[in-house]
């Protein structure tokens, strides 16, 4: 994986190694905001929940980056630059809203599935054909769909999206986790909760952790943060 230069980030004073488990125990309040998209990507990748069932390589939602880097135009610009440099890929998700996932290209190509060891070269070849407008046979498309690296668009069966294998249960978790957290906060008197208390909650409907969902919900505008003398408060955004 490409090495990024060290960069400073707001709210975090210590450097974290990308493959370290230390990031999985720190509070979200310690590293909620960053000044650089590549740093945010690296930290979020390291903090991706470890899930045994339905294993999938770490991915980051674009909304999570929006929650951590204030300038959304900067995020989009830096993501596009990293995509052009073949450092990462972006994927449209079928979650009922305009969601996109980001995955480092090395992670995507090295996924340990029964298909990927055989299809890696086929996938690269077909990616080139599709991106260049080359002729692709139905058999090629079927192989990629069965491998989980391609999915048909619902609005047009002749159009396709590149997808992430084994992500199905995670997509369900993203949708249900959002609803569970919003419901939890909405039942409280002021529709708010201290971040330190909310982070300790264990979700019933999602294999992903609270931190993953909070970043997503803040970045998508469903939740907002307010600083109080006792710490960070998470509130449901008003319509």
């Amino acid at each position: 994986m490409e090495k990024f230069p060290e960069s400073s980030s707001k709210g975090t004073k210590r450097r974290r190694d990308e493959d370290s488990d230390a990031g999985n125990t720190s509070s979200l309040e310690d590293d909620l905001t960053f000044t650089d998209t590549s740093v945010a990507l690296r930290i979020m990748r390291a903090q991706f929940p470890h899930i045994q069932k339905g294993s999938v390589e770490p991915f980051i939602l674009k909304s999570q980056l929006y929650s951590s880097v204030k300038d959304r135009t900067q995020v989009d610009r830096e993501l596009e630059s990293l995509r052009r440099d073949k450092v990462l890929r972006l994927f449209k998700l079928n979650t009922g809203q305009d969601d996109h996932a980001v995955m480092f290209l090395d992670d995507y190509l090295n996924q340990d599935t029964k298909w990927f060891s055989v299809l890696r070269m086929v996938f690269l070849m077909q990616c080139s054909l599709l991106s260049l407008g080359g002729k692709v046979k139905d058999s090629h498309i079927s192989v990629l769909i069965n491998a989980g690296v391609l999915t048909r668009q619902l609005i047009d069966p002749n159009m396709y999206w590149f997808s992430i294998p084994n992500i199905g249960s995670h997509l369900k978790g993203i949708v249900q986790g959002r609803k569970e957290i919003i419901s939890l906060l909405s039942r409280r008197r002021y529709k708010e909760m201290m971040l330190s208390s909310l982070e300790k909650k264990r979700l019933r409907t999602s294999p992903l952790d609270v931190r993953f969902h909070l970043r997503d919900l803040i970045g998508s505008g469903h939740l907002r943060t307010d600083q109080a003398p006792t710490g960070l408060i998470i509130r449901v955004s008003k319509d």
Side-chain angles (χ1 to χ4, degrees):
M1 180 173 296
E2 177 172 330
K3 298 294 185 181
F4 293 106
E6 292 292 343
S7 178
S8 61
S9 60
K10 294 182 180 179
T12 179
K13 295 181 180 180
R14 60 186 180 277
R15 294 179 180 176
R16 299 178 180 85
D17 182 71
E18 182 179 354
D19 298 319
S20 172
D21 290 332
N24 294 321
T25 58
S26 63
S27 170
L28 179 58
E29 190 168 356
D30 292 333
D31 50 13
L32 181 60
T33 59
F34 303 92
T35 58
D36 185 271
T37 303
S38 62
V39 172
L41 283 166
R42 189 182 68 217
I43 297 300
M44 291 181 193
R45 179 187 181 277
Q47 293 179 343
F48 188 80
H50 295 288
I51 304 169
Q52 297 297 328
K53 186 177 180 180
S55 177
V56 67
E57 290 295 317
F59 64 88
I60 301 97
L61 300 180
K62 188 184 285 189
S63 58
Q64 294 173 320
L65 295 171
Y66 288 158
S67 75
S68 297
V69 182
K70 291 184 178 180
D71 188 341
R72 297 192 174 201
T73 301
Q74 175 188 341
V75 171
D76 293 338
R77 183 173 60 249
E78 292 177 348
L79 284 178
E80 177 59 22
S81 177
L82 292 169
R83 186 194 65 80
R84 288 198 307 267
D85 291 341
K86 295 182 173 57
V87 175
L88 51 79
R89 288 199 66 90
L90 275 71
F91 303 89
K92 179 71 174 68
L93 302 182
N94 295 318
T95 51
Q97 60 185 57
D98 190 27
D99 289 324
H100 290 81
V102 181
M103 181 178 283
F104 285 98
L105 185 59
D106 284 351
D107 286 339
Y108 188 64
L109 296 178
N110 290 324
Q111 292 181 94
D112 184 18
T113 70
K114 64 179 181 180
W115 289 97
F116 251 71
S117 59
V118 178
L119 294 174
R120 178 173 178 172
M121 187 57 66
V122 176
F123 169 72
L124 291 173
M125 292 173 62
Q126 298 312 318
C127 282
S128 298
L129 284 171
L130 290 171
S131 62
L132 296 174
K135 185 176 181 180
V136 180
K137 297 180 179 179
D138 289 342
S139 58
H140 295 155
I141 297 296
S142 296
V143 169
L144 294 175
I145 289 177
N146 290 334
V149 298
L150 206 66
T151 183
R152 283 189 173 90
Q153 292 190 21
L154 297 178
I155 58 175
D156 186 346
N158 294 316
M159 299 293 289
Y160 302 88
W161 283 320
F162 287 114
S163 59
I164 302 172
N166 297 328
I167 200 175
S169 62
H170 294 73
L171 296 182
K172 183 178 180 181
I174 289 171
V175 174
Q176 293 182 337
R178 286 168 173 167
K179 292 179 180 179
E180 184 175 347
I181 290 178
I182 293 294
S183 177
L184 171 65
L185 290 172
S186 296
R187 291 196 303 269
R188 299 182 71 87
R189 183 176 181 182
Y190 297 108
K191 297 185 178 181
E192 65 182 38
M193 195 171 181
M194 297 298 301
L195 173 60
S196 57
S197 298
L198 186 55
E199 280 189 298
K200 297 176 183 177
K201 297 290 184 181
R202 184 179 296 274
L203 299 178
R204 298 178 292 101
T205 60
S206 174
L208 302 161
D209 59 21
V210 171
R211 175 170 49 193
F212 182 96
H213 289 290
L214 288 179
R215 279 197 171 112
D216 167 44
L217 289 166
I218 293 169
S220 60
H222 291 88
L223 299 180
R224 63 186 177 91
T225 62
D226 289 299
Q227 188 66 50
T230 54
L232 206 62
I233 297 176
I234 305 295
R235 291 190 171 101
V236 176
S237 298
K238 295 181 179 180
D239 297 333

